[in-house]
Structures are given as C-alpha cells and as structure tokens.
Amino acid sequence: MKTGFELLDDAFLNKGTAFTESERKKLGLEGLLPPCVEDIETQAQRIYRQMERKTSLIEKRRFLMEVFNFNRTLFFHVFSEHLVELMPIVYDPVIAESIEQYSEQFINPQYAAFLSIDHPESIETSLKQAAGDRKIRLIVVTDAEGILGIGDWGTNGVDISVGKLMVYTAAAGIDPQTVLPVVLDCGSNRESLLKDPFYLGNRHKRIYGDHYYDFVNRFVETAENLFPDLYLHFEDFGRSNAATILKKYQKTYPVFNDDCQGTGIITLAGILGAMKINREKLTNHTYMCFGAGTAGAGIADRIFREMVAQGLSEKEARNHFYMVDKQGLLFDDMDDLTPEQKPFARARSEFDNPEKLNNLTAAVMAVRPTILVGTSTAPKTFTKEIVKAMASWCDHPIIFPLSNPTELAEATAEDIIKWSDGRAMVATGIPAEPVEYNGVTYIIGQANNALIYPGLGLGSIAVNASLLTDEMISSAAHSLSEFLEINVKGAAVLPPVSKLTQFSETVANAVAECAVKQGLNRVQTNDVKKAVKSVIWKPVYRNY
C-alpha cells in the first residue's frame, strides 16, 4: 500500500480530506492534510461550487480535469451527480476546444499511453508502463486523424480517448482503474500544429500505407497479448482507415469503432423510436444521408442491416438508400468511391438528369427521401426549402442533423420543427433545448453515442465476450425504445441523457444476453443481470 505523498499523488487511491484520522496515522498522512475530515458529499459540494464560478465552459472543464487528475473517485461522484449539465462540458462539444489547446495547456498525461509510429519497438514497454499493476479491461485508442468535426489533431487527440473513457465510467460504471487511453501518433497533416513550438507530437506528415497498418497491427496484437480480457474501442480514425481497421479485427477480437458503428447504432435507435411513435415500418421509408464519410457510411450500413433483418432482401433494401456528399449524389461510375460508399452508390440510368444532381437540394427533390441524416459538417444545409419539401410528401419526415460541434450542424431543431409545421421527427448531434411550437413542447433527442457505447462495452465486459457481433449491436439499439414516451405529443425519439446510467445498464443486459445466446461469453453465468451488476463500479471511497 502506498503511503504519504505517494498515496496522495495516486488519482485512483487518493481520498484527499476524506481520509479518516486512523487512516492518516496508518498511511503516513498525519500533517499532510488539513485536520478536518470530510465526507465525499461535502467535497463534491465544494468542487461544484468552485466550478460554477468559472466564467466559460472551457474553464469549467479545465477545473474539473484538475479534480480528475488527483482524485478519480471524487471526479466521478461530481460527474454522476450532475450528469446532464456536465456531459457537454466534460465531453462533446467543449472537448473539441480542449483538444485544440492540448499541447499549449499540457499539465498531466492522465495515465495515457503515447505510442509513436517512429518507435514501434517501444509499444509493449509503453503499454506495460502506462498500465502499471492495473488489470486493463478497456482501451480507447485513437490516431486522431478524424477528431469529431475538427479533423486531424495528432497527439492532441489523446484527449478524446481520455474523454470517451470518462463517459464509459460515468454512464456505465466501468471501473476507472481498468481503463487505458491510448493515442497512436502517426504524424499530422495540420501545418499549424507542425509549426507550433508547443506542439507535443511527432513533427512530420501523417504516415499512411503498409507502414501505418503494420504499426496499428503491432499495437493491437501487443495490447491483446498483454490484456487478454480486453475490449478495444477505436475512436476518430480517418475515413480512409477506420472501416479497414475495424474489418480486419472484428472477427478476431471484441472490438468496436464508434465512428463506423456507434453513430450508426444511436441513429438506428432514433429512427426506430420514430417508427414506434408514429406506428410506421422502417421498410416503407427511403433513406438519404448527407455526408458520405466514415460516420455517414457507417450509419447507412447499420440502417440497411436493420431493413434486411426486418425481412427485405439485400437487393430490395439497397433500393431504399441514397448517399450524398459534397459533389452531390454518389453514382456507381465514380472512380473515387470508398469500399463503404460503393454499395450505396446509384446508377445514373435511374435519373433523367443525373448531371444536375450535384448538390443536396437537387438530390432531395429527385429522390424524395422520407429520412434525411446529416453527417456532413456543412452548416445550414438542411434548408427551409428541403424541410418543407419533405413535409409535403411525408406525414412525419425524419430529419437528423447530426454534425457537431454546434457551428457545423446542418440545421437547428427549432427551424426544422417550424418549417415542417411540427410534423418532423428530429434528433440532433448536440444538446438542443425543447422547442415550443403551436402550444406543443417538442423534446429533442440527442443522437449522442454516449447513449449506446457505454452499455455496449459494459455488457461485453460483464460476460467477457470474445467478439462484438451485429446481433449484439442490434440488441443494443432496440433496447432503448422501452424508455420512450410514445403517447406524448412532442415526445423525443431518443431517451434523455438524464436516464443515461439507467438505460446503460439496460443496454448492457441486452448485449450480454445476446452474447450468451451466441455462445460468445467467456464468463459462465446463469443470471446476466447479476453478471452486469457485479462489474458496475460506484464512485464511493474504499476503506483502507
């Protein structure tokens, strides 16, 4: 057991002023703390009061990160008590600003592993040193090429791994001692970073090709060997690599890519929510996505798989999908399509004037979609003209502007509600206030991956699943519908973040149950719910 200042410097063990008098005597802390002994509730009140005095959201986040750096239990106690308020501060959208300023503001490595493509021989040593004597069950790893809506941020992107793991713990009770944030520094193509004297990452262009894939493979194989019970989460990889990496490992290890899969799961959950509220069938809808990158293609694939699961053949299901990017509707004769885009590209022969379908408005008018999902990061592109048009051929158009942060959203929820005369089903990628229109309060669901991925990971970890399958993912999406208020006018298509811990456990139960049915559980159990509860960590102090 650590003692004295060494104990106070251990964020996983530190209790600060909550160490009792007997613990202080036993652990060499006498005289190292103020004499008053406090409980965690009093400490949390002090922390929250100090945070409230900060004048900007980024200052609030920096202060909370100071707490995180010296006392994990206290941090998560505060975070859990004020989950709705603090989620956008601790994670998205404020984390984007934190990432941009990471090198300039650097103070603490936060138990992360920084792996350099220039030194692949150091991967094993680095992971061992970062983990110490902790048993790692969950890694969030990024190469930071596609951070949120802000792009390539090199080593600064480690903040996204740290932030994602915070949500895993706050939402699903993943023990913070069992997690490890990792960044794969493969260089950066952002000139402003490479020229910044304070930038902490590799000062060269981003490396691609075989050298890059060999580095990623060495990391994956090493991590899986060191941590045999590992659930591996890939985060914010670039569009040219994300799906390739997921496909390489998803049949071998329990891996998850939040951009390829997470956004797709939560978007599917929102669409299923709209179906339940309106008592409609998904297979009767026409789907269009605007933004054909990793997230857009991943969402389309997830909705496509659900249509097949609901009885359509693959050929029939494909006919319901259209993909639009900056150059307009994607056609199958384009020579720059990614493997993920090709299945959803259309034949030019389907249209009388395909050459004119070079923008979103033209594509919408030609296709007449009933579902429109935006992952384009092109602000204000879901125009009044588009929304009114969709409302003219569909009683309840489903319109999800999912791009974030706020300034990159395709439209606001308020505009969509008003332009559709209150008939559109809306979910946004960022938190949105309720919309008052014609005497009805419309609650806007947030298509926040945090509604899904914590429970997905918890369920997999609880039974130590050997793989994460499509069936487990589909079970997660369907499990959220039981939290919807389907008979209330203006009800949200997704449950509120305020119930995050509650439905994370529900998601976990569904995922674990599916894993057991598929024979993928490496922990034997006759009671899935009990297995899930047994691994949920609570932010309470241990007695020494």
Side-chain angles (χ1 to χ4, degrees), residues 237-272:
F237 282 69
R239 65 187 290 178
S240 63
N241 294 316
T244 301
I245 292 171
L246 175 63
K247 288 179 180 178
K248 180 178 174 75
Y249 300 107
Q250 66 183 160
K251 301 298 183 183
T252 309
Y253 304 115
V255 299
F256 173 71
N257 184 300
D258 198 31
D259 306 290
C260 297
Q261 297 170 291
T263 309
I265 303 168
I266 195 61
T267 305
L268 171 60
I271 292 173
L272 292 175

Side-chain angles (χ1 to χ4, degrees), residues 64 229 271 436 530:
L64 290 171
D229 297 328
I271 292 173
E436 301 290 338
K530 183 178 180 180

